[in-house]
């Protein structure tokens, strides 16, 4: 395996990094305070081909690999992990439609999703079923020529913002095999939203509960086979975990770069902080840990692209290791800034707040350990 970047991959990374620096970074603090992401900026991301990164070109996607995707999300996260993660979730939804949807569904939704003219949200988690996702209670029953959808989804990125909601719901008995997936457009009768959540981080992302009260959904809006929804959701999460890890990695790299710059400029006891060996050793460890995390992430992406039998295990390992490592590095970068790190103006405290949730979402890191152990012992 060779994880050095090809010329094309370097160009993809540079494109994403340049866009992030010019169009996201200058506005990240303002978007966080407003609690929303401008639609126009998302359309600019779509114009770069980042609205359907690994969607087939036939329906407007870029047809790129998972290895390409982690480069894009790492680069975007240098500017704002919250915005990058929002783009990641949208891409996960677009991939589900491209992979499991009918030709009609693909031609109806994917061109607009890939161009980011429309935004999609992933709806799995419920107030009573977080890590135990297969215990979800949202139901969909067939009445005449439509489904009647009832239930509530929680912690939904894009709730009351997105145009399309990919909803995992119970169409059969208990357990994972009773779950199907519906594609529900915003504005559907019986759909409503809770208040926007007030969060520690990811504040630029509008997040809310999504409520379904006898919500009518056409039968043709079922994604793929009946009873296969949980399997689809888990397959989507393999890639989603890599993306979220990449977003954490990019944020941590930004924090480390800021710390190095601060140490060169800040003086104490008559010398630059960068001249103190204890601090040099700390930065050396931070750099080593990020490089190890990056290598594992690239390996996991390579395995997912290759449909390796152990891809899910490596995706879980990468998600666990990269997000834990990235948070620790970002937190250490804040410490190296001293009191300045606690100030908004320096941008590091935002990274720490944003990266904390990466250890929770797309499956908590405790659940990642469970997945890894099952692959080892089964």
């Amino acid at each position: 395996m060779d994880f050095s970047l090809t010329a094309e991959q370097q160009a993809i990374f540079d494109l994403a990094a340049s866009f992030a620096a010019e169009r996201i970074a200058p506005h990240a603090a303002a978007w966080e305070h407003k609690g929303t992401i401008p639609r126009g900026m998302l359309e600019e991301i779509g114009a770069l081909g980042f609205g359907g990164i690994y969607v087939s070109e036939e329906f407007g996607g870029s047809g790129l690999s998972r290895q390409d995707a982690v480069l894009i999300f790492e680069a975007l996260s240098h500017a704002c992990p919250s915005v990058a993660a929002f783009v990641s979730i949208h891409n996960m939804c677009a991939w589900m439609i491209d992979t499991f949807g009918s030709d009609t569904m693909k031609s109806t939704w994917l061109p607009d999703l890939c161009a980011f003219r429309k935004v999609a949200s992933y709806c799995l988690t419920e107030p009573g079923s977080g890590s135990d996702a297969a215990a979800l209670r949202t139901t969909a029953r067939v009445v005449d020529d439509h489904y009647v959808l009832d239930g509530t989804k929680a912690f939904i990125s894009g709730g009351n913002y997105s145009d399309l909601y990919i909803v995992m719901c119970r169409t059969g008995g208990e357990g994972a095999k009773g779950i199907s997936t519906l594609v529900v457009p915003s504005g559907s009768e019986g759909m409503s939203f809770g208040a926007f959540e007030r969060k520690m981080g990811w504040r630029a992302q509008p997040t809310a509960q999504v409520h379904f009260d006898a919500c009518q959904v056409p039968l043709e809006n079922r994604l793929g086979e009946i009873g296969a929804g949980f399997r689809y959701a888990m397959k989507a999460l393999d890639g989603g975990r890599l993306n979220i890890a990449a977003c954490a990695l990019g944020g941590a790299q930004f924090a480390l770069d800021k710390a190095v710059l601060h140490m060169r400029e800040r003086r104490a006891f008559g010398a630059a902080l960068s001249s103190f060996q204890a601090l040099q050793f700390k930065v050396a460890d931070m750099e080593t840990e990020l490089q190890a995390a990056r290598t594992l992430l690239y390996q996991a992406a390579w395995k997912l692209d290759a449909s390796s039998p152990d891809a899910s295990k490596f995706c879980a390992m990468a998600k666990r290791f990269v997000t834990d490592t990235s948070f620790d590095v970002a937190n250490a970068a804040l410490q190296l800034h001293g009191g300045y790190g606690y100030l908004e103006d320096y941008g590091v405290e935002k990274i720490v707040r944003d990266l904390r949730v990466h250890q929770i979402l797309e499956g908590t890191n405790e659940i990642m350990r469970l997945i890894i152990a099952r692959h080892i012992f089964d």
Side-chain angles (χ1 to χ4, degrees), residues 19-301:
F19 179 86
E22 295 173 8
R23 298 293 297 123
I24 299 177
H27 311 290
W31 296 343
E32 177 174 75
H33 291 155
K34 291 179 181 178
T36 192
I37 302 170
R39 288 288 191 127
M41 191 280 297
L42 292 178
E43 290 190 30
E44 291 181 45
I45 289 179
L48 296 177
F50 298 162
I53 295 171
Y54 30 80
V55 170
S56 56
E57 295 179 80
E58 178 183 359
F59 295 101
S62 297
L64 298 177
S65 69
R66 297 293 182 162
Q67 290 177 294
D68 298 328
V70 297
L71 296 174
I72 292 168
F73 291 117
E74 180 183 351
L76 293 177
S77 293
H78 286 191
C80 181
S82 177
V83 171
F86 192 79
V87 175
S88 163
I89 295 166
H90 169 90
N91 269 272
M92 184 167 63
C93 295
W95 175 84
M96 290 181 72
I97 293 175
D98 187 45
T99 304
F100 305 115
S102 65
D103 286 343
T104 299
M105 191 175 287
K106 293 177 186 180
S107 60
T108 299
W109 293 109
L110 287 178
D112 281 342
L113 292 176
C114 292
F116 250 130
R117 290 187 293 268
K118 293 189 182 298
V119 181
S121 287
Y122 180 88
C123 300
L124 176 63
T125 301
E126 297 183 1
S129 62
S131 293
D132 186 11
L136 63 84
R137 307 311 304 167
T138 296
T139 61
R141 54 191 175 88
V142 177
V143 177
D144 299 326
D145 61 347
H146 59 271
Y147 284 101
V148 176
L149 186 62
D150 289 283
T152 295
K153 296 296 181 178
F155 306 116
I156 303 305
S157 292
N160 204 11
Y161 176 95
S162 292
D163 305 287
L164 201 65
Y165 296 83
I166 310 299
V167 181
M168 274 53 74
C169 53
R170 191 162 300 284
T171 54
E174 296 295 317
K177 293 183 179 180
I179 296 171
S180 299
T181 301
L182 300 183
V183 179
V184 186
S186 181
S188 296
E189 182 180 353
M191 173 188 279
S192 62
F193 304 94
F196 288 124
E197 305 288 2
R198 300 170 63 187
K199 300 165 292 184
M200 172 182 175
W202 272 25
R203 292 180 181 174
Q205 288 193 27
T207 303
Q209 289 191 348
V210 184
H211 306 293
F212 304 101
D213 183 10
C215 179
Q216 296 191 15
V217 182
L219 293 179
E220 57 266 27
N221 280 30
R222 190 187 73 231
L223 188 66
E225 301 173 7
I226 192 166
F230 190 76
R231 176 165 55 88
Y232 297 163
M234 294 303 103
K235 283 184 174 294
L237 282 176
D238 276 344
R241 286 163 182 158
L242 295 182
N243 296 346
I244 288 301
C247 291
L249 182 64
Q253 187 66 63
F254 169 84
L256 176 56
D257 293 346
K258 292 277 286 186
V260 169
L261 179 62
H262 178 77
M263 289 171 63
R264 291 182 186 277
E265 297 176 346
R266 176 69 170 164
R267 297 181 68 82
F269 306 104
L273 295 184
S274 59
S275 68
F276 292 98
Q277 191 176 67
L279 300 184
Q280 291 176 353
F281 284 3
K282 180 62 179 177
V283 170
D285 285 344
M286 293 161 70
E287 172 69 10
T288 302
E289 288 157 8
L290 283 189
Q291 291 296 346
R294 186 173 283 109
T295 299
L296 179 56
L297 177 62
Y298 288 5
Q299 184 182 20

